[in-house]
Amino acid sequence: MSAAVNTETLDWANLAFGYMPTDYNVRCRFADGKWGPVEESTSETIEMHIAATALHYGQEIFEGLKAFRGKDGKIRIFRLEENAKRIRESAKGIMMEPIPEDLFREMVIRVVKLNERFVPPYGSGASLYIRPLEIGMSARIGVKPADEYMFMIMVSPVGPYFKEGFRPTNICIMREFDRVAPKGTGRWKVGGNYAASLDAGDRAHSLGYSAVLYLDPKEKKYLDECGPANFFAIKEGKYITPASESILPSITNMSLQQIARDLGIEVEARHIPIEELDSIDEAAACGTAAVASPIARIDDLDTGRQYVIAPDGQPGPITTRLYDTLRGIQLGDLPDTHGWNTVL
Ligand code: PLP
Ligand code: COI
């Protein structure tokens, strides 16, 4: 399917965060109460029932993780066990069939190996983005979960999520939209959460912001998360990040917290009132796609307040250290002391 993509001549260093066809995807069906064999497919399309629950009632969940090529030529997949656990939680959250962790692992490794030529070279700054997804396949008109599911994994080589890369960008607070409800689906990686964020994201982009910093949907007093990424800040040498039941538990955030502790930096996961933005020294959006993208300024569009975080437009020293350490571990340049990488 990707005969047109010549990886010998690809401009790896200038890849965007976008879709590129690759050689294979992998698929597995759940029917009659069990998962079937794993299929290797070269097709970019799927056939499904017109009444499938994924299409009508939003039974769709996904994941995002990355594989990196090291200086030693080896491929490392970052923390795939955590994505395996999280997609099971997402499945349970919207009454889908949880994928066995072993099956998830086997399929991730298989799809990366099948598309090995698309794993960007060491030093390019790019990586192979791995996108697992599960959809409800059964035909329903009544609002009920499916009993047949399809789990698939596609991959695409990608560059930085924010085109600025590791350069601080501006973000905004907007109270007009919530991406999730207080006791809704925010803690799961459900397609509908992203649908709910499109309008706000589009408005923010058209005003020149890279993302929306969402507030907690109940009281709108505390910081929640930052578009498709978690939020963290550095305050008086401490790493602070929102504790909230309406945000996605980010594996990158979890890893950065561990790295911070390893570096002797105290970590606080707690409610962060908006006003506290006045007293932070550094801030960043963190996630698989975003890695740790520094924030220069946060504009509150409703009150007109501006929180200037990086007046010189440079990433802060602690954010830089955390970013470099995370990248170093992912690429195999630094010791993987916590056993986060699956090395192929
Ligand atoms: N928050 C949201 C809403 C996301 O979509 C993502 C991306 O996966 C994250 C946070 C970051 O999570 P992770 O670090 O596991 O990629
Ligand atoms: C990721 O970081 O993997 C994400 O899910 C972001 C994505 C929605 C673009």
Side-chain angles (χ1 to χ4, degrees):
M1 86 189 173
S2 60
V5 178
N6 181 353
T7 45
E8 300 296 316
T9 56
L10 250 184
D11 184 8
W12 299 103
N14 289 304
L15 286 181
F17 188 89
Y19 177 76
M20 178 187 292
T22 60
D23 291 334
Y24 293 96
N25 54 77
V26 291
R27 306 168 180 212
C28 187
R29 265 177 179 276
F30 181 88
D32 303 322
K34 56 181 189 306
W35 291 96
V38 176
E39 181 201 342
E40 294 174 358
S41 175
T42 57
S43 169
E44 283 172 280
T45 62
I46 54 178
E47 189 159 311
M48 62 196 295
H49 199 286
I50 192 171
T53 61
L55 300 178
H56 297 256
Y57 303 128
Q59 275 201 310
E60 192 276 344
I61 55 178
F62 67 101
E63 271 303 326
L65 62 161
K66 280 178 173 172
F68 303 84
R69 197 182 294 277
K71 202 187 274 177
D72 55 8
K74 289 185 184 153
I75 296 171
R76 289 170 176 79
I77 308 171
F78 190 66
R79 304 200 78 171
L80 77 88
E81 296 78 10
E82 291 300 326
N83 297 89
K85 278 191 223 157
R86 192 169 66 187
I87 199 170
R88 287 178 63 82
E89 292 308 308
S90 298
K92 290 181 219 159
I94 59 166
M95 297 197 74
M96 296 175 66
E97 182 62 30
I99 298 128
E101 285 180 35
D102 286 350
L103 179 63
F104 183 94
R105 182 185 173 80
E106 176 200 325
M107 286 175 67
V108 167
I109 293 173
R110 192 139 151 203
V111 76
V112 172
K113 284 188 174 161
L114 286 167
N115 293 292
E116 185 173 346
R117 72 185 183 98
F118 289 93
V119 182
Y122 176 81
S124 63
S127 55
L128 187 73
Y129 186 69
I130 305 166
R131 170 55 65 82
L133 70 154
E134 182 179 355
I135 53 177
M137 298 292 276
S138 309
R140 298 273 188 262
I141 286 292
V143 181
K144 278 191 301 232
D147 48 25
E148 291 188 9
Y149 291 89
M150 172 104 99
F151 174 57
M152 296 165 276
I153 313 181
M154 51 169 255
V155 298
S156 192
V158 295
Y161 187 70
F162 295 123
K163 63 180 185 317
E164 294 80 0
F166 192 63
R167 297 247 61 84
T169 63
N170 298 337
I171 63 171
C172 64
I173 293 172
M174 223 189 263
R175 286 169 193 70
E176 208 181 323
F177 301 92
D178 292 310
R179 67 186 288 281
V180 295
K183 294 210 178 282
T185 52
R187 70 203 115 134
W188 305 311
K189 212 162 162 62
V190 166
N193 297 346
Y194 298 80
S197 76
L198 290 175
D199 196 349
D202 188 61
R203 290 196 202 189
H205 291 147
S206 62
L207 293 169
Y209 299 102
S210 60
V212 177
L213 178 56
Y214 288 96
L215 302 179
D216 79 278
K218 189 168 180 196
E219 300 187 76
K220 307 244 194 203
K221 277 193 194 156
Y222 306 103
L223 307 182
D224 234 352
E225 61 183 331
C226 189
N230 274 185
F231 174 87
F232 75 85
I234 305 296
K235 181 182 173 182
E236 293 156 4
K238 283 187 200 158
Y239 181 109
I240 62 171
T241 190
S244 161
E245 58 177 21
S246 49
I247 67 175
L248 190 78
S250 156
I251 296 161
T252 311
N253 192 357
M254 197 194 298
S255 308
L256 291 169
Q257 290 179 39
Q258 185 60 54
I259 291 169
R261 285 190 210 98
D262 293 348
L263 295 172
I265 297 165
E266 208 177 307
V267 174
E268 281 179 5
R270 57 166 169 83
H271 284 334
I272 303 179
I274 311 172
E275 304 74 52
E276 206 173 334
L277 288 174
D278 256 341
S279 57
I280 60 175
D281 306 310
E282 302 177 31
C286 65
T288 297
V291 194
S293 300
I295 295 165
R297 198 182 76 225
I298 303 172
D299 290 354
D300 187 327
L301 300 184
D302 302 300
T303 63
R305 281 285 325 254
Q306 292 199 324
Y307 303 91
V308 179
I309 297 166
D312 58 358
Q314 297 301 317
I318 297 183
T319 305
T320 305
R321 216 166 149 210
L322 294 170
Y323 175 92
D324 288 343
T325 309
L326 177 67
R327 276 274 129 150
I329 296 170
Q330 291 175 329
L331 292 168
D333 290 340
L334 292 176
D336 178 19
T337 51
H338 298 285
W340 287 340
N341 294 322
T342 297
V343 187
L344 303 189

